[in-house]
Each structure stands twice: as C-alpha cells, then as structure tokens.
Amino acid sequence: MDDGYLSEEDIAGADFGSDPMYVDYGQIYKVRFALLKRAYDNSPYAEEPDGKWAGPTYNSDREDFEEFIEEEKSWLADYALFSAIKAEQGGRCFIEWPEKLRVRQTHAIEKAKRELSDEIRFYEFQQYFFFRQWMELKSYANRNGVEIIGDIPIYVAFDSSDTWSHPELFKLDEKGYPTVVAGCPPDGFSATGQLWGNPIYKWDYHKETHFAWWMERLSNCFRLYDVVRIDHFRGFDEYYEIPYGDPTAENGKWVKGPGYDLFAELKKQPGNKRIIAEDLGYLTPSVIRLVKKTGYPGMKVLQFAFDSREESNYLPHNYPRNCVVYTGTHDNETMHGWYLDVNRNDKRFARKYVGITCPDKATRSFIRVAFMSVADTAIIPMQDWLNLGNEARINHPSTLGGINWRWRLVPGQLTDELADEIADMTVTYGRC
C-alpha cells in the first residue's frame, strides 16, 4: 500500500476472518491471491506494466527484480513454473496433470513457459517481496540482539516442486508415483502408526552427488535463519518407510539412513552452522551416537520429565550443558493446560520437584526451573509466558483440522510488565 500497488480501500474490503485469535486459512487463501495479483498488475514488476509504472523512474526496481530472479534461479524457476501450472490445472496434484507436463517433456515445458509467462512472473514477484521483507525483518532483529531459529522438516511434500522437478532424488516408479512413503510405526499413541505420505529420499544417489541438493537446501536455511532446528533427526540414522498405497503404517520397516556422511559434508561448507537436533521420542543407541558425533545440541522438554514411575533424561538434573530446554513445544499442550490435565501422581512429583506452592503460579515455576538448568539455551513458548490454557495450543500430532496451527497473538498481550519480567528472569539466571 505504501508503494502504491494497493489502495487502502483494497485492503479494507478484504475479509481475512472474523476471529483475531485464530488464523482462518481457508478465508485467507481465497482472499490473498486476488490482492497479491492486483498488487502485481499495478506495479512496475508486471510483465507489461501500465501507465506510470512503465516509465524509466522504475527501471532500477525492475533491474533489482531481474537480479533476484537470476540469483535464485536454481530453485525459483522450477517453483514458479510448478505453481503456475498447478494454478492452471485447477490446483490438482501434479501426478494428475497431463503426462507430458507430469514427466516434464521438454516441448510441453517450453510451451507452458510461453503460455504462462505472466503467471510465472506473478509467483516470482511474490517470492521477491517475501525475501526482501524477510531479510529486512531479520536484519532488524539481529541489530537488536535477537536471533531467529528456523525449523526445517526432514521431508518435502509429494505434491511439491521439489518432487516434480527432481524425481531422481526420491524413490519413485517410472510413472512418478512413490514406491514407499514416510511415517512412523504403531506405538502407545497410535495403534496403526502414522502415515505421513512424504516421498522417501534415494539416499544412495544423494551420497553420490555429495548431498548437493541437501547442501543447497541447508545453505538457503542458514541465509534465512541464524540457527536451524532439524525436525525428525532420527530419520538421518534410520527412517521408517511404508509401501505406497497402504492405508496404515503397520506394514512399514526401518531402513538405514545416510548417518554422519551428510553432516560431514555440511561441516566442509564455510561458516559456523548452528543446528539444533530434534531428537525427541524413542532413541536407539545409534541415534544417540549420531547426535553426539555431530556435536549438535539435542532437545529437552520439561513436560516429558515428570513420569513418576521412572527416572527421566528430561529431568533438569540429568541435562548435559549442550542441549536446549523447552517447557513444551508446538506439539505439546501449553504448560498451564498440561498441569491441569496431568495425572495425580505425575502432578504430585512435578509439584515436589519444581517447588510449586500455588497452582496459579505453576507455569512460572516451570519456566524458572528451565532457566535455572545448565542447558545452554532455554526456549519458552509465548503461550507459557502468557499462562494460557490449551485453547492456545499450536498442534495436536496425528490429527487434522480443528484449531491446529491457528493460534496467534493479538494486540495488547505483549505488555511492558511482561517484558520486564522476562528480562528480570533472564538476568537472574545468567542468560543475558
């Protein structure tokens, strides 16, 4: 709006949902592309800019845009083309596209590039502004002593530009369908396991190429973030693969992953790569050895500590210094919600261990214990600083829909008093 691509009326007339506390993804999806397309068409970046936007005043803007397209072409060209074709195909999964497009037949791809050139440029425009705004935000944060931790999943989605443009990286058949998919086996939480459905990497191929695709992927992450948390770290030691088409994860098997070889390659890259290994769940001796060999800090979650039946590695007196402690993660209840719901014996143990005398102040007591621990880093979800209940929980693993990934802060929740309290606790326990 400040640049003149959208008017105040354009934005005021957009309905992004009725409840500010929860993201309405469906409504935003319907509204945002129309607004972004209007901004693109009414800008100097359009394929054929109109009026004042076509003038020489904006030549430097266009040059900067073209430089971005060139610098990011290793991923942006495929992503923008994939997105444009997917839109033209009504949003269908790429496996349902006409065969010539699905298998990237040269003539069909060149034709799509010509016919969808404006749509392709529109997706490049979105990425250009996202990257520009993100890097401005990151620079601002870093100048003020704030570092950003970014999360990278081990897998990519099947219906993605990665799978479509680089089928050689994955275990796919000659028609492009997966032969096996990712998940995890049956356990106490799920009798049939978890069927994630992501394509599995062809790790032998990755090793032959010195993990070139992974090195590029991680390098981009380190450009966007100061620290990278690698999700499902166990999958690099051993991963669980399930025959494609199975309705559950029950018939899967564990297969040896790339192990340390990938991280040895990463350590050859210039720069200090700061990584957090998401090593939660059942850990085999080989996973523990891999985490230790990489030197990356693992994760400790306080909510996992207070099983009154057994001693736990998640209890703070068992922590090594090289770890990151959380009261809870995005997959947990809020600390307040957990304390209300936990069984009587575990609550009694937690109350004794942490020294809780007032239930209303239980969450603060858990935060204090995390800050007092020897863990190099302590991370407290904002919901716990605000002492919110499970209405503010981020995610319920193995479930779809509901309010998963929808909670957000609203104006007024972050107060000067809260900032002072966080600062005081940070100073008190030497975490400045």
Side-chain angles (χ1 to χ4, degrees), residues 76-90:
L76 181 59
D78 284 324
Y79 169 77
L81 177 61
F82 173 86
S83 300
I85 296 174
K86 189 174 178 67
E88 191 265 340
Q89 290 291 319

Side-chain angles (χ1 to χ4, degrees), residues 29 32-34 36-37 40-41 45-47 65 68-69 72 75-91 97 116-131 161:
Y29 187 84
R32 66 171 175 171
F33 279 102
L36 289 167
K37 189 65 165 66
Y40 165 72
D41 290 337
Y45 308 101
E47 192 169 45
F65 182 38
F68 171 79
I69 293 172
E72 307 296 332
W75 65 271
L76 181 59
D78 284 324
Y79 169 77
L81 177 61
F82 173 86
S83 300
I85 296 174
K86 189 174 178 67
E88 191 265 340
Q89 290 291 319
W97 295 355
L116 300 175
S117 59
D118 188 55
E119 186 77 4
I120 290 168
R121 192 172 177 87
F122 169 51
Y123 282 98
E124 292 169 338
F125 164 86
Q126 293 176 55
Q127 292 299 312
Y128 172 67
F129 273 91
F130 169 78
F131 270 78
S161 60

Side-chain angles (χ1 to χ4, degrees), residues 185-201:
D187 57 21
F189 296 103
S190 174
T192 58
Q194 295 180 31
L195 183 63
W196 301 337
N198 308 80
I200 297 287
Y201 296 110

Side-chain angles (χ1 to χ4, degrees), residues 30-86:
K30 288 188 287 187
V31 169
R32 66 171 175 171
F33 279 102
L35 276 176
L36 289 167
K37 189 65 165 66
R38 190 176 303 171
Y40 165 72
D41 290 337
N42 187 38
S43 79
Y45 308 101
E47 192 169 45
E48 296 182 5
D50 290 332
K52 67 174 184 178
W53 304 117
T57 305
Y58 299 99
N59 283 348
S60 62
D61 296 83
R62 281 185 283 271
E63 288 170 8
D64 191 57
F65 182 38
E66 296 300 335
E67 285 178 14
F68 171 79
I69 293 172
E70 177 63 25
E71 288 170 0
E72 307 296 332
K73 64 182 179 182
S74 64
W75 65 271
L76 181 59
D78 284 324
Y79 169 77
L81 177 61
F82 173 86
S83 300
I85 296 174
K86 189 174 178 67

Side-chain angles (χ1 to χ4, degrees), residues 230 233 263 266-267 273 275-277 291-292 294-298 322:
I230 300 181
F233 198 84
F263 302 103
L266 180 62
K267 288 175 185 287
K273 303 294 190 291
I275 287 174
I276 297 172
V291 175
K292 187 174 182 179
T294 64
Y296 302 146
N322 187 33

Side-chain angles (χ1 to χ4, degrees), residues 19-23 330 332-338 340-341 363 382-396 401-410 413:
D19 190 342
M21 186 176 166
Y22 296 106
V23 181
H330 55 276
N332 293 99
E333 296 178 82
T334 65
M335 204 72 232
H336 181 69
W338 177 86
L340 290 177
D341 292 345
T363 299
M382 187 53 68
Q383 297 95 315
D384 291 348
W385 282 116
L386 295 171
N387 199 29
L388 299 177
N390 283 335
E391 76 281 355
R393 181 175 180 167
I394 291 291
N395 186 47
H396 298 71
I403 60 169
N404 286 347
W405 300 103
R406 292 183 59 196
W407 178 83
R408 61 182 169 198
L409 284 163
V410 296
Q413 285 186 297

